[in-house]
Structures are given as C-alpha cells and as structure tokens.
Amino acid sequence: MQKESQTKSERVDIQRSVAIQSAHCPNGCDLMTDKVMIHGLKSIAVEIQWQQMRGLIYLDPEFGKYEHVSEIDVPEGVVVEFYCPHCGASLRNGEELCHSCAAPTFALILPNEGQIVGCLRRNCFEHTLKLESLDSMQLQIDDNLLRMIL
Ligand SMILES: [Zn+2]
Ligand SMILES: [Zn+2]
C-alpha cells in the first residue's frame, strides 16, 4: 500500500469527499485510470458509443461532481452505450431504467461495496449519475451503520 507519489504537492482537497476508489466491469476489469486525473483523483474510464462514434469517457470519481472528460462529443439527450475498454463487455444494466427519464442505465461494480447505477442518456447521466449513486451509497452506509449500532 506504499505509494511513492507524495513528492509533488498534489492539489487534493482535504475535505471528506466521497470518491469512487475502485470500479470494475462485470468481468472484473479495473476501470480506474491515472491517464486522466479529475480533482487529482483517478477517473473511471469507460468506452462510450453513440451511433458510429466511439471513444473513451473518463467519469468523475467524486460524488456530486460531474467533470467528466469525453473524447467524443455526443448531442444532449441521446442515449449512449457504455462498454468496458478492456474486455468490451457491455455495462448496460438490464434490470433498471433511469428514475428520472426512463432511459436504460449502466452499472459499475464497486468491489465490496455494491454497484453504481447511472443513466445512459447524455445530459441525464451528467447530472444524475452521482446523485442516484450517492443516495444508494448513503443507504448502504446507513444500513451498515444501523446494523453495527443494532
Ligand atoms: Zn472488462
Ligand atoms: Zn435518465
């Protein structure tokens, strides 16, 4: 667990923000990357596809922030597909539709913590990905706390 990257003073806020530390595709590929850092944190790289356009999108790992970095520019309102950039598995979550716009959703697996579900409609996932996730994560945290307290 020793990291040698403490030399340059990083601009990581010391605030207690909730950030995704680890996210996997359904086959277990690690989606975190340091190729693109967002808020000084590793981002989550997934392949985004819309019609013939395909590229990588780096999702903001911090809950409540939406500074995603996308290689391709898709129009607002369209529904995209997300794939694992390593094994090509679809990240579409067949079990759930977006609560706000009824578009299909995608899921990222958080080892030991469950999963994050977000909307595949462009301007919806940009604004609701983290909110929905934060809700479910808070619920999970609350549940765990409750269990610990009880
Ligand atoms: Zn994969
Ligand atoms: Zn939506």
Side-chain angles (χ1 to χ4, degrees), residues 45-95:
V46 303
E47 204 163 274
I48 180 171
Q49 182 183 15
W50 178 68
Q51 296 187 346
Q52 268 76 260
M53 295 202 291
R54 212 166 163 133
L56 287 174
I57 184 168
Y58 300 92
L59 301 175
D60 191 333
E62 203 169 328
F63 286 104
K65 303 210 174 149
Y66 313 102
E67 292 174 29
H68 311 312
V69 176
S70 182
E71 286 181 353
I72 67 168
D73 208 12
V74 299
E76 301 220 343
V78 302
V79 173
V80 300
E81 290 290 343
F82 279 175
Y83 298 95
C84 172
H86 306 289
C87 72
S90 172
L91 302 179
R92 191 190 269 234
N93 171 18
E95 293 161 19

Side-chain angles (χ1 to χ4, degrees), residues 98-103 119-121 124-125 128 132:
C98 173
H99 300 303
S100 28
C101 78
C119 181
L120 282 168
R121 193 185 302 279
C124 194
F125 77 68
T128 60
E132 288 181 14

Side-chain angles (χ1 to χ4, degrees), residues 22-55:
S22 179
H24 289 179
C25 90
N27 292 328
C29 306
D30 186 359
L31 300 175
M32 306 305 291
T33 181
D34 55 12
K35 248 174 66 183
V36 172
M37 306 289 278
I38 301 177
H39 320 297
L41 301 165
K42 285 185 184 179
S43 61
I44 305 158
V46 303
E47 204 163 274
I48 180 171
Q49 182 183 15
W50 178 68
Q51 296 187 346
Q52 268 76 260
M53 295 202 291
R54 212 166 163 133

Side-chain angles (χ1 to χ4, degrees), residues 137-149:
M137 198 165 209
Q138 274 180 336
L139 277 178
Q140 271 185 352
I141 292 168
D142 290 346
D143 278 347
N144 288 339
L145 279 178
L146 277 177
R147 261 179 232 128
M148 279 165 64
I149 293 165

